[in-house]
Amino acid sequence: DAGVIQSPRHEVTEMGQEVTLRCKPISGHDYLFWYRQTMMRGLELLIYFNNNVPIDDSGMPEDRFSAKMPNASFSTLKIQPSEPRDSAVYFCASSLGTSPYNEQFFGPGTRLTVL
Amino acid sequence: AQSVSQHNHHVILSEAASLELGCNYSYGGTVNLFWYVQYPGQHLQLLLKYFSGDPLVKGIKGFEAEFIKSKFSFNLRKPSVQWSDTAEYFCAVNGYRDDKIIFGKGTRLHILP
């Protein structure tokens, strides 16, 4: 299995532009999580899905952020418009069933820089 | 609200030294506990986890952690570190049957050769 796949690995954009991050979970996994990692705040859960349905988006910082999961093998996290404070590493993770019986597998992350 | 506190943000050790990374959590109920590791340039990987049974949990690469319920702690230990243990370590918690995991802010470990 290729593991969790994220694209792009690096993204540099200018303030005000739309940014779309993509994630392909491990085949067969029914949970998908989006995290943001910064030096100041550590690793924060933004939103997670179960069977393609958003379950908890309380971690989404504001309306500029949105996430979708149109099918079991694809999810997007969109920031529109982007701001410099959105610069961070964004991780996607997937799991089969509820933790702890099944661990979360993380993707390599997307390093976003907003100028 | 659930929270995880990691005492040290940065730890520097020499090879062969013993390691203990502190982790305390706040949660009113039965918990599951984890340690994840992120090697430089890589994604997070599960190091070990506890959800029931023996409070002393052994993980990969010689790491272990002890769950002390009375202290709300889950400290990570290794008797003799190697240069390859240089990484960032995250403690995490979730409530029994919860879907989401709360992570600590991480501890950056540097091992001097």
Side-chain angles (χ1 to χ4, degrees), chain A residues 22-74:
Chain A
R22 297 172 177 79
C23 175
K24 177 178 167 49
I26 292 173
S27 177
H29 281 191
D30 56 350
Y31 280 84
L32 185 138
F33 305 81
W34 280 102
Y35 292 89
R36 178 174 66 175
Q37 184 183 31
T38 61
M39 289 289 288
M40 291 298 294
R41 300 174 69 90
L43 196 63
E44 305 171 276
L45 176 65
L46 300 177
I47 184 171
Y48 76 94
F49 296 82
N50 177 221
N51 292 322
N52 313 337
V53 176
I55 302 301
D56 185 348
D57 65 354
S58 59
M60 296 285 260
E62 48 199 276
D63 292 345
R64 297 184 297 106
F65 286 70
S66 62
K68 294 181 180 179
M69 193 165 185
N71 58 61
S73 58
F74 184 66

Side-chain angles (χ1 to χ4, degrees), chain B residues 99-111:
Chain B
D99 294 335
K100 60 184 182 181
I101 297 176
I102 306 300
F103 284 83
K105 290 192 176 181
T107 297
R108 289 188 176 229
L109 175 64
H110 290 275
I111 305 300

Side-chain angles (χ1 to χ4, degrees), chain B residues 7-106:
Chain B
H7 312 308
N8 309 101
H9 297 297
H10 239 116
V11 174
I12 301 174
L13 294 172
S14 297
E15 273 194 310
S18 65
L19 169 72
E20 181 160 4
L21 302 183
C23 173
N24 285 91
Y25 66 91
S26 172
Y27 186 78
T30 303
V31 295
N32 307 304
L33 296 155
F34 312 82
W35 276 97
Y36 279 80
V37 61
Q38 186 178 25
Y39 296 104
Q42 296 188 27
H43 56 276
L44 275 82
Q45 306 169 45
L46 183 67
L47 201 55
L48 49 80
K49 65 183 179 185
Y50 168 84
F51 56 88
S52 66
D54 189 342
L56 184 62
V57 180
K58 296 197 183 294
I60 60 172
K61 304 187 179 184
F63 285 91
E64 65 179 30
E66 186 175 11
F67 171 45
I68 302 179
K69 188 175 181 179
S70 62
K71 295 185 177 180
F72 298 90
S73 70
F74 190 55
N75 292 355
L76 181 70
R77 300 195 293 248
K78 186 171 183 177
S80 176
V81 293
Q82 300 172 309
W83 179 79
S84 58
D85 292 326
T86 294
E88 189 161 14
Y89 293 80
F90 295 87
C91 182
V93 65
N94 77 338
Y96 186 66
R97 297 193 185 279
D98 279 354
D99 294 335
K100 60 184 182 181
I101 297 176
I102 306 300
F103 284 83
K105 290 192 176 181

